[in-house]
Every structure is written in C-alpha cells, then in structure tokens.
Amino acid sequence: MRRVRGRAIAEGAARRGWIGNGVGLGLAAGACVGITLHAPGAFPIVLAGALLLLAGRACWVYRLPPFRPARPGGRLDLLRWRARRALRPLAVTTVVLGLAAGGLMLIPAVNDAVLGDRPRDLLDFARMCEDGGHGDPFPRAAAYEPAQGDGPPPWVVIEDDWDAWASTGGSNPDLEDEPAPDEVQLVACSEVVGSVPDTRISCGYTEGPLGLGPATETVEFSQGRYRVTVIEARTGAVVGDGSLDGDEDVECAEAVWGENPGPEYTVPDGEQYADLLAEVAVSASR
C-alpha cells in the first residue's frame, strides 16, 4: 500500500510539474514575443536572460538540501526528486524551442520581423524612393558616416524603380565596384521632372513585320531633367538634393515597346551621380 501511494504521489508530482512548466513556458514565450515585437533590438537581451534564468533554476534544484536526512541505501528525498523530475521537461522543451526559434530566424521574413528590415539586394532600396522618397527605410542598414575629405560613403542610385548605379564611394569611385547591400549608407532617388527645353524630337514607328511599312505611332524623345533626393539608408532622413540633366545626345531608339510608349528621356551617367553625392557628403560633414 505504501509503495502504491508513493507511486501515486510521484505521478501526481510529475503531472503538476508538466502543467506548471507549460504555464511558465507559455507566459515566458508570450513575454519574449511581446518585448521583441515592441522593441526588436531587445531580442538578444531577452534570449540571454531566459537562458540565465534556466541555468539559475537548474543550479538551485540540484543544490537543494534534503527534506530529511538520507539513510544509507535509502530513497532520494521526495522534494528533491520532484524538483529534478520537473526540471527535465523544462530543459528539454527550452532546448527544442531554442532550436526552433534559431531555425525560424534563418528565414529572412521572420528575421526582419523580429530584428528589423535588412537590405539583401541593391534593388531592395527601391522601396525607399516610393512616395517621393518617403518609403520605408532599413533599420539594419549601415549607419551614415559623412565623408571626411575622401568622397561619399557607399551609395546606390534608384532610377525608374531600378538600381541604376552604385559604388563603394571614396574620392575616385569605381562604378563597376558595387557595394554589398548591408554596406550602403546613402540612397539617391532620381525622378524625372521634365525635359530640357528645345531638345524634343519625334520618332515614327510601325507595327509591320521587320519594322517595314508606314509609321503607325509617334514617340517623343528628349533630354531628361531629374530631381535627385539623397536619403540615409538606415533612417530615411534627407541629407541633400540636387538637379541633373540627362545625356545631351538625343536620338530615336531602334524600337519601342508597350501599348502607349513614351515620352522617353535620356538619363544622367554615373559620373554625374557620383559628383552630386560627393557634394552632398562634403556639405553634411561641415
């Protein structure tokens, strides 16, 4: 009878341990999710704190004094047995949840939701140029450090929703040397605002095979004029602006596409953007 009663007590203690640990883990998980969503930068601190609490409980359990003196060859004290028995599922569950959380953090969408958006491609910066340069920035982009006499920091130009030009910066930028997305500090949003006066030409196109036959559509080409807004990749703050003109050589394209093509504008070259960004960086460093 005593053995049966002891087993019932042990099983009851185990069940209560599972229930208590489940409730505790649920509350802890909810707190962790709430804190990290409200303050993404606190995720590493919350995770480290959870691991320290688990380690502290493990030390406390295994250092518990006996409920009563143990007899040679006798059973382990019931209190210590219950505590250690309750600790095992907690430790296993914590490890499993930790591995699952780590795996989820490898998914870009989850990683960005917890820690903040991170640019993974130069074309990602196109979203910052939406609504006239008021699009969402990237909280995990490189911090802007104004130039100190050696040219602008790494930058990218977004032109017509495309990463048209990019450079690692410096006094002699190499437009073929593109920076890594997480190195970009400045984003130049280039928007066509019209054309240079007296540069417009009209070009006729046909829908006939091999481009043969009478012209059925006319498209206008001109030297474009662009407004460039330079913003910080991390914060979205405007650090400068300017105006650039496209290539002076206005010619008819060999072919055009789309239902209603045109008007078409020539675009600035990379050197023009590099010079403008250098001016902006120098002005910001004064």
Side-chain angles (χ1 to χ4, degrees):
M1 179 65 70
R2 182 174 299 176
R3 182 175 299 177
V4 173
R5 179 179 176 80
R7 181 179 299 174
I9 292 175
E11 291 176 352
R15 285 195 297 270
R16 287 193 296 272
W18 276 100
I19 294 173
N21 288 327
V23 173
L25 283 173
L27 293 175
C32 290
V33 171
I35 293 174
T36 51
L37 289 179
H38 181 71
F43 178 76
I45 300 175
V46 173
L47 181 59
L51 293 177
L52 286 175
L53 286 174
L54 177 63
R57 180 172 178 182
C59 292
W60 178 79
V61 167
Y62 279 92
R63 294 294 295 176
L64 271 177
F67 184 69
R68 60 176 181 272
R71 295 173 297 178
R75 298 182 306 174
L76 184 66
D77 153 70
L78 179 60
L79 177 60
R80 178 179 290 186
W81 180 88
R82 287 171 56 186
R84 290 184 178 178
R85 183 69 178 269
L87 181 64
R88 291 195 198 107
L90 175 63
V92 172
T93 306
T94 302
V95 172
V96 171
L97 290 178
L99 293 175
L104 288 174
M105 290 295 289
L106 297 178
I107 302 176
V110 177
N111 188 282
D112 290 345
V114 175
L115 299 179
D117 285 2
R118 174 185 179 184
R120 292 178 170 82
D121 189 277
L122 292 178
L123 188 57
D124 291 347
F125 292 104
R127 81 177 195 192
M128 297 188 63
C129 295
E130 297 174 356
D131 301 325
H134 294 88
D136 295 332
F138 289 88
R140 296 168 65 191
Y144 175 47
E145 299 177 357
Q148 299 296 330
D150 58 351
W155 50 266
V156 63
V157 172
I158 301 298
E159 185 181 274
D160 195 22
D161 297 326
W162 190 257
D163 51 322
W165 301 95
S167 171
T168 54
S171 55
N172 295 303
D174 182 359
L175 298 177
E176 299 297 326
D177 183 19
E178 293 186 346
D182 57 2
E183 294 176 351
V184 172
Q185 298 181 23
L186 293 177
V187 179
C189 300
S190 183
E191 178 184 11
V192 62
V193 293
S195 60
V196 177
D198 302 323
T199 62
R200 186 172 301 171
I201 62 175
S202 296
C203 304
Y205 296 90
T206 179
E207 295 180 354
L210 302 178
L212 302 177
T216 57
E217 191 168 30
T218 300
V219 178
E220 294 184 345
F221 290 79
S222 59
Q223 181 183 9
R225 178 156 287 172
Y226 293 79
R227 179 176 64 245
V228 183
T229 305
V230 183
I231 55 183
E232 292 184 30
R234 174 176 286 190
T235 65
V238 176
V239 297
D241 55 27
S243 178
L244 295 177
D245 291 338
D247 192 343
E248 297 179 356
D249 190 8
V250 181
E251 298 179 342
C252 295
E254 293 185 2
V256 293
W257 292 268
E259 295 183 359
N260 297 299
E264 300 291 337
Y265 304 95
T266 61
V267 297
D269 60 30
E271 296 295 337
Q272 290 176 271
Y273 285 115
D275 292 341
L276 174 61
L277 283 156
E279 294 176 5
V280 169
V282 170
S283 300
S285 64
R286 291 175 182 171

